[in-house]
Each structure stands twice: as structure tokens, then as C-alpha cells.
Amino acid sequence: MIADVIGEEYVSEADIDVDTAFYADLEIESIEFIALGEALQARYGDHIDFPAWIATMEVDDIIALRVGQLVDHITGSPA
Amino acid sequence: MADLEVRGLRFNVVQMGPGDTPPADDPYAGHRLPVVFLHGLIMDNLSSFFYTIAPAVARTTDAVLYDLRGHGRTERPLDGYRIEDGVDDLIGVLDAVGITGPVHLVANSFGGTIALAAALRRPDRIAGMVLVEAHPAFDGWGDEMIEDLQDLVEGFDGPGIRDYLAAGAPRSLRTMVRTCEELVTVSSLGDDLRASAPTRPEDLATLSCPSLLLYGESSDILDRAFVLEDSIPGTVLEVVDDCSHALLMENPHEVERLTLDWLDRQAGDAWRAAAGGQQAIR
């Protein structure tokens, strides 16, 4: 899913694990991160509520987000 | 995000909000009009509202965010960048998402330019607006804006910059530079902004919808805010301390507080009007 959003050529250069940082490591752009969130919401259900999750964070927190934090949010959200 | 076809172009649109299930703690549920967010020019896109105030608005209110033509993930055609086209695009997006009634606009900078033009041309669709650092299209606005943008693009040819962009610059910076160059030097944006019909202060006197003006204390266009304050009937100007034209990013909390407050007041007025109407029927 990440490859769909930012392009295969960027993903293949990085090993993605829970500590991979979206902005620092994957160089994802703000608008692409939104697309990723929407794709995840479409895949896993509206209970994930990506905008509400983003609203709980300051811009600095969003920029520092790691893959693991997004995974935790998806798996931790009540279905 | 959905890609919606509007006027023959693919627009990137994000919708959020309570839909048919407003929060139980909202006293004005059922009296809130949808909110449409309009971002700024060239280096901006819907993410600037998505990451700041849109989710808070969307807790109680259905919201639409979209990338303006040429920006973000919306298609970038070579032409159609006049303010009038921006208004037509806005109405087209509303039609495409199925919103037929009036909406509130929350607009930043050039988004505000479009919002003002939309409120003047389509008062049937625009019920009110929050203008954050709006650039009213007063006479000469287009020339000034394009000169600034051309200076910016010429700056990319400064010593070492092209090499840096090719070799080691972050991806987002390369995208930003490419966006600037394509919009300013390749597309008809510059000519279109100059050719756009200007907004005159005397036209603004005909506006009847409520509005809120939010500007930074050290904004380089604060003088225009005062003209808007004098020209638009019933408008309120709030000047935020220690902020520049980048008000939305510099103090998103204050922009959120003032916007939510204004939206509550509009919903409260609608609620009271409805309650008064019901009493009259009795």
C-alpha cells in the first residue's frame, strides 16, 4: 500500500519495519500520507477514523510518525 | 481520497464528517451547513487544512477538502487558472459530491480570493465564509502576485541550487520546485491571474452572508484586511498576535478556536431561527 502511494522506486530502497519513519526514512509527502490513511480506512473500515487520529497530534508529532505507530492504531481500534 | 471528475478534470477530494450520525453532545446538530476548505496558491494543497483545523470541524460538521486545479493530487492542466475558473471548479466539486444547498467556506490566502469571488457570483451556494489571510483580487493584485512568483522561480537558478536538487535534496523539496516551475512558467496561471476580473470594494458592499476575517499581526497584506473589514457588511476582523501571512501553520490552534466559534454561532443562529419559526406556527 505504501508503494502504491509513494512509488515503487522509493520503497524498494528501504526495508520497512515498525521503526521506519514515514517522513524521515520514506520521504512521504503530506498529501501522500493522507492518501495512505484513506486507503487504509477503505481497506480496514471506517472505525479507524484516520482524520480523528491525526487530530490528536501536533504537526511535529505527525512528522515524526513511524510505521509501527500507524499499525498500532489500526490494530488497536475497536472494530 | 476520491478522484472526482469535475469539468473534465480529475480532482482529488477528501470528505470527512459525522454524516447521518452527529455527535450526541452537539446542541446544534441538524443545523450545521457543510464546510468546504479552499487552500492557497502554488505550494499549498489540502493537507494544510487536513493536518490543522479540518478534523476538529469535521467532528460536528460534514467537510469537503479538495486540491485546487494544478495543485496536490488534482490534475494540472495547462490552462483554466482564472479566479472565475476557480469559482466554477468549486461549484463543480459541490455538484460532484452531491451538495445542492448552501455551504460555508473556510479559505486560506488564494483560496480566499476564490471564496470572495464565489460569494459575490453565487450567493445562492455560499452561506458564509472564514477567510484566513485572504488575498482579495483588488486592482493590480494579479501583477503583484505573479512578480513575486517569478522571483521565486528565478531563485531556483541561484548558485548550486540545481545541483543540490539533482543530487541530494529531499523529495518534497524537488516536488515543490517542480510544482512552482510548472505552474508559474509552463501553465497559463500568470496570464490567467492577470486576466481575472478584479474584485472591487464597492462590490463587496453587496455581500449579505456572514464572514470572519483572520489575519496575522505582521501579515504583509494586513492593509487589505482593513479594506475588507470596511467593505463587507457585518464582517468581523480578528488579528492574531505574533503571526505572519503563514497564520494557519504558525498558530493553527487559534485559527481552529476562532473558526469553531464562528461555525457554532452560525449554527446557533440557524437553531434559534428554526425554534422561533416553530413557536410562530404554534
Side-chain angles (χ1 to χ4, degrees), chain B residues 196-213:
Chain B
S196 297
T199 296
R200 301 173 307 163
E202 50 267 39
D203 295 331
L204 296 173
T206 66
L207 284 174
S208 60
C209 65
S211 59
L212 172 67
L213 310 172

Side-chain angles (χ1 to χ4, degrees), chain B residues 5-13 38-42 44-46 66-90 92-93 110 114 179 183 187-189 192-193:
Chain B
E5 172 103 1
V6 175
R7 303 177 71 220
L9 285 182
R10 184 181 38 76
F11 274 75
N12 179 31
V13 182
L38 297 166
H39 66 74
L41 198 62
I42 307 292
D44 201 359
N45 58 54
L46 65 80
Y66 71 98
D67 287 327
L68 301 181
R69 77 163 55 202
H71 294 71
R73 286 161 77 93
T74 286
E75 218 174 314
R76 183 174 298 155
L78 289 174
D79 56 18
Y81 293 96
R82 295 172 311 156
I83 298 168
E84 300 88 286
D85 298 310
V87 174
D88 289 339
D89 289 344
L90 165 64
V93 168
F110 179 67
I114 295 177
T179 300
L183 283 173
S187 82
S188 66
L189 181 112
D192 287 352
L193 292 184

Side-chain angles (χ1 to χ4, degrees), chain A residues 4-28:
Chain A
D4 287 338
V5 165
I6 66 174
E8 285 285 348
E9 66 274 17
Y10 289 99
V11 173
S12 60
E13 289 166 17
D15 293 324
I16 299 179
D17 59 29
V18 292
D19 289 323
T20 303
F22 283 105
Y23 285 89
D25 298 331
L26 295 176
E27 292 196 71
I28 201 166

Side-chain angles (χ1 to χ4, degrees), chain B residues 68 87 113 119 121 128 140 164 173 184 199 207 231 262 273 282:
Chain B
L68 301 181
V87 174
T113 315
R121 230 176 83 200
Y164 169 62
L173 187 61
V184 176
T199 296
L207 284 174
S231 309
W262 185 87
R282 274 192 241 113

Side-chain angles (χ1 to χ4, degrees), chain B residues 76-204:
Chain B
R76 183 174 298 155
L78 289 174
D79 56 18
Y81 293 96
R82 295 172 311 156
I83 298 168
E84 300 88 286
D85 298 310
V87 174
D88 289 339
D89 289 344
L90 165 64
I91 302 300
V93 168
L94 291 181
D95 291 342
V97 299
I99 294 175
T100 54
V103 301
H104 289 136
L105 301 178
V106 175
N108 188 22
S109 195
F110 179 67
T113 315
I114 295 177
L116 281 165
L120 282 169
R121 230 176 83 200
R122 296 301 306 265
D124 56 316
R125 303 296 288 265
I126 311 300
M129 48 193 174
V130 177
L131 301 176
V132 181
E133 283 289 330
H135 261 287
F138 296 147
D139 264 331
W141 165 84
D143 288 326
E144 202 181 305
M145 174 66 66
I146 290 308
E147 276 165 26
D148 288 346
L149 290 171
Q150 281 169 345
D151 287 344
L152 174 67
V153 171
E154 276 164 31
F156 298 149
D157 287 321
I161 294 188
R162 294 287 176 193
D163 292 334
Y164 169 62
L165 288 170
R171 194 168 152 261
S172 56
L173 187 61
R174 295 201 300 276
T175 304
M176 190 271 283
V177 167
R178 188 173 66 242
T179 300
C180 281
E181 289 187 313
E182 283 179 12
L183 283 173
V184 176
T185 66
V186 176
S187 82
S188 66
L189 181 112
D191 291 337
D192 287 352
L193 292 184
R194 284 197 189 93
S196 297
T199 296
R200 301 173 307 163
E202 50 267 39
D203 295 331
L204 296 173

Side-chain angles (χ1 to χ4, degrees), chain A residues 34 38 50-51 54, chain B residues 14 16 46-52 54-55 65:
Chain A
I34 297 170
E38 298 267 304
F50 190 69
I54 291 291
Chain B
V14 170
M16 50 176 84
L46 65 80
S47 66
S48 62
F49 276 122
F50 188 103
Y51 288 127
T52 54
L65 298 84

Side-chain angles (χ1 to χ4, degrees), chain B residues 138 204 211 213 215 222-239:
Chain B
F138 296 147
L204 296 173
S211 59
L213 310 172
Y215 283 76
L222 189 58
D223 56 321
R224 285 157 234 212
F226 295 132
V227 177
L228 291 176
E229 186 188 25
D230 286 340
S231 309
I232 301 175
T235 196
V236 172
L237 169 61
E238 299 276 0
V239 180

